[in-house]
Amino acid sequence: MTETPAKPPRTRRPKATPGPDTGVEAVESAVDMGLLDESIGFLLKRVQMAVFTDFIRTFAPADIRPAQFSVLVIIARNPGLKQSQVSAALSIKRTNFVPLLDSLEARGLVKRKLAATDRRSHALHLTAKGTALVGELTALWREHEGRIRTLLGGDETHAHLCALLGRLTDMGGPVDEDADSDAPPPSKPRRRKTE
């Protein structure tokens, strides 16, 4: 039996930056990414950042961010859901979801109605303006998603990647939105010495 030779370490060359006052791009040295090039979490984070950059650029004329788009799509497909159901479906904390929803309501895209089954809850619906905007946003989404499909090599690869990513979504149980934070974990309280 023959052993597979170890892969040489891959290097990533950061994007070149313009040199001072020359207009010529300065070449930066390559960075050995080590095991990070094999880390699914690290690669997914980098891909998310790249995809969101394209998304934000594409949706800029409509002044819509990814989270806002997600909320509008969920409400369009599921009119009458409660706020808690939409925030849970998108793994958005309530403290973040309320201001996001307030901003969509202030723009006249979403309306809250008292839920028929629970008068303490609000059911969410798109307004006529919101419904029209979702139609326009769908066209922008197709343009954005088309670029991703092209980079992936077509519809079959895109579908396969979506299926693989779908398997990972439930891996860790409920989403911990603080897991993405670069802040250090909270320190443990110190015990006071008793005399």
Side-chain angles (χ1 to χ4, degrees), residues 29-109:
S29 62
V31 176
D32 180 349
M33 301 303 285
L35 56 77
L36 294 178
D37 269 334
E38 299 175 36
S39 168
I40 296 296
F42 177 77
L43 293 171
L44 286 175
K45 178 64 176 176
R46 291 193 50 116
V47 168
Q48 180 195 23
M49 290 167 34
V51 169
F52 274 23
T53 297
D54 185 78
F55 181 101
I56 290 164
R57 190 179 307 123
T58 304
F59 284 69
D63 190 26
I64 292 291
R65 306 288 289 184
Q68 293 171 319
F69 177 70
S70 300
V71 169
L72 291 171
V73 168
I74 293 290
I75 296 171
R77 297 289 296 185
N78 306 274
L81 282 184
K82 292 187 273 187
Q83 290 179 201
S84 59
Q85 292 173 300
V86 176
S87 65
L90 296 172
S91 300
I92 301 174
K93 287 183 179 178
R94 187 179 191 285
T95 54
N96 298 332
F97 184 74
V98 171
L100 190 158
L101 194 57
D102 288 345
S103 71
L104 294 173
E105 191 173 41
R107 290 176 63 178
L109 303 173

Side-chain angles (χ1 to χ4, degrees), residues 26 63 175 195:
D63 190 26
V175 175
E195 297 190 37

Side-chain angles (χ1 to χ4, degrees), residues 88-152:
L90 296 172
S91 300
I92 301 174
K93 287 183 179 178
R94 187 179 191 285
T95 54
N96 298 332
F97 184 74
V98 171
L100 190 158
L101 194 57
D102 288 345
S103 71
L104 294 173
E105 191 173 41
R107 290 176 63 178
L109 303 173
V110 173
K111 60 185 171 191
R112 294 173 169 115
K113 294 181 179 178
L114 287 177
T117 56
D118 181 359
R119 305 301 282 177
R120 296 168 298 165
S121 299
H122 287 95
L124 302 176
H125 299 270
L126 294 182
T127 62
K129 182 179 175 182
T131 300
L133 181 62
V134 168
E136 294 170 25
L137 296 178
T138 300
L140 292 174
W141 175 83
R142 289 187 200 291
E143 175 189 323
H144 162 71
E145 202 68 18
R147 282 190 290 278
I148 296 170
R149 287 174 196 260
T150 299
L151 287 170
L152 290 174

